[in-house]
Amino acid sequence: MSFTPIQTQEEFDRAIKERMDRLKGQYADYDELKAKAAKFDEAEEARKRELDKANGRIAELEAAARGREEADRLSALRSKVAEATGVPAELISGTDEDSMTESAEAISAFAKRTVPPAPNVGGAGAFAGEGASAGGAAEGFARDLDRALFGEGSE
């Protein structure tokens, strides 16, 4: 095939049309490929969102597991300190064995502290028919009150 120069406008238009048809043939499936690429990008974004959601859930579960492990560790320490000191585990506070031991010792010291008994006031708590007349307790109270307010010699 040898080259022949184009002599007329019609020959030029025909040559251009042939070339354009060949180019259009090369890109005939462009719109289809573009749609497929858009669907692929959309699917890829959906996978990324799902992956991010799954990673977030994994992080939450790992944090919850760490929290449970820490709670179990503290519970075991509390039980150990409670056994050693005799203080109920529910009353012990602290984040390590030393602070829990201090807490238990403070609770133990408080529990051992003695409180003096309340004074027994004569006739107080006695009911009618228990050795005192029905008005005896009230009269005794009035007499004691009078002495407390005005002194020993008043009546």
Side-chain angles (χ1 to χ4, degrees):
M1 170 172 201
S2 65
F3 176 73
T4 56
I6 296 175
Q7 301 288 326
T8 65
Q9 183 66 41
E10 291 82 27
E11 288 175 356
F12 178 75
D13 289 343
R14 188 175 48 245
I16 293 296
K17 184 177 182 316
E18 288 172 4
R19 176 72 177 141
M20 291 298 285
D21 288 343
R22 279 195 315 261
L23 283 175
K24 283 181 185 177
Q26 287 177 348
Y27 298 107
D29 60 349
Y30 176 76
D31 290 333
E32 182 182 329
L33 292 174
K34 186 176 177 183
K36 284 182 180 179
K39 284 183 183 178
F40 176 79
D41 289 345
E42 187 177 304
E44 188 68 23
E45 285 300 317
R47 277 192 292 270
K48 283 182 183 177
R49 285 191 301 272
E50 287 299 316
L51 180 62
D52 289 344
K53 191 186 301 183
N55 285 338
R57 181 71 177 136
I58 288 170
E60 288 174 9
L61 292 173
E62 286 174 345
R66 281 191 302 274
R68 282 191 301 276
E69 288 170 359
E70 179 66 12
D72 290 345
R73 183 186 73 80
L74 291 175
S75 178
L77 277 176
R78 257 187 219 97
S79 295
K80 178 181 174 185
V81 170
E83 206 171 297
T85 61
V87 175
E90 297 81 22
L91 299 177
I92 299 172
S93 64
T95 56
D96 61 7
E97 189 171 357
D98 292 337
S99 64
M100 288 182 187
T101 302
E102 287 176 20
S103 172
E105 288 171 353
I107 292 169
S108 180
F110 179 79
K112 289 177 184 173
R113 190 172 65 184
T114 58
V115 177
N120 187 5
V121 177
F127 293 103
E130 289 185 358
S133 65
E139 290 171 7
F141 175 73
R143 196 172 31 255
D144 291 343
L145 181 62
D146 187 42
R147 282 188 198 133
L149 293 176
F150 302 110
E152 195 59 40
S154 66
E155 274 196 42

